[in-house]
Amino acid sequence: MIEQYYHYDTAKLLAEYNHNKAVLKSLREQYNALDGAGGMDYSSGKVSGSKGTDALEKTALRRIDLAAKIEDYEHDLKRIDDCMSQLTETEQTVLTEFFLKGQTKTAAVYHLAEALHLEQSAIYDIRKRALNRFQHLIFG
């Protein structure tokens, strides 16, 4: 997931964080829906290549594909969380308000100005510094 942001579009990476968490949840639900119930009848001693076994094979391949996607999303979201935790509390607050709460920039600035008792220009300076630090942490 993170590789699609390697053009240093850190703001977009953070803005899509909640969407990517929703995608992960959906992938998990899809994986769980393919629980493998039904099974095959091995009592005859041989396995035939019927439509039933083809469906089981497709289901197994789909589960493998979903498991790989889930692992990638979990890894990348954990990496984002780890990088966020390395920022100062103020930087985390600013990035959360601007990108993770799904609000407009105007609303984010207003809330931050009240909470941090800072002027808008100072908030934008913190935002810029926080994005730069986060970018350095996430992309190395």
Side-chain angles (χ1 to χ4, degrees):
M1 175 191 76
I2 287 179
E3 59 274 355
Q4 67 183 326
Y5 301 99
Y6 272 143
H7 297 290
Y8 294 95
D9 197 352
T10 310
K12 185 174 180 182
L13 172 67
L14 289 171
E16 294 181 356
Y17 177 83
N18 289 325
H19 169 75
N20 288 325
K21 285 187 88 161
V23 169
L24 174 60
K25 181 181 178 188
S26 174
L27 289 170
R28 286 180 178 149
E29 289 170 355
Q30 291 174 45
Y31 183 84
N32 292 334
L34 299 173
D35 65 0
M40 294 174 47
D41 181 12
Y42 295 100
S43 62
S44 67
K46 62 180 180 177
V47 178
S48 63
S50 69
K51 288 183 182 179
T53 57
D54 287 346
L56 286 174
E57 182 178 334
K58 287 179 184 178
T59 300
L61 291 173
R62 179 71 178 138
R63 282 178 63 89
I64 291 169
D65 181 54
L66 285 170
K69 287 179 182 177
I70 289 168
E71 184 178 328
D72 287 345
Y73 271 83
E74 287 174 340
H75 173 268
D76 290 351
L77 290 170
K78 182 180 182 326
R79 188 166 160 205
I80 291 168
D81 292 340
D82 290 346
C83 290
M84 282 289 283
S85 71
Q86 293 179 48
L87 300 175
T88 67
E89 187 176 328
T90 301
E91 290 169 336
Q92 289 178 38
T93 300
V94 168
L95 292 183
T96 299
E97 286 290 329
F98 271 99
F99 300 108
L100 302 181
K101 288 197 173 177
Q103 60 188 343
T104 65
K105 287 182 182 180
T106 304
V109 170
Y110 176 77
H111 290 128
L112 289 166
E114 277 191 2
L116 302 175
H117 307 291
L118 295 172
E119 294 182 16
Q120 290 182 5
S121 61
I123 291 168
Y124 279 108
D125 288 344
I126 294 169
R127 177 184 180 265
K128 182 178 179 180
R129 184 179 66 240
L131 278 173
N132 286 336
R133 286 194 62 214
F134 182 82
Q135 180 176 311
H136 178 73
L137 291 167
I138 198 84
F139 297 119

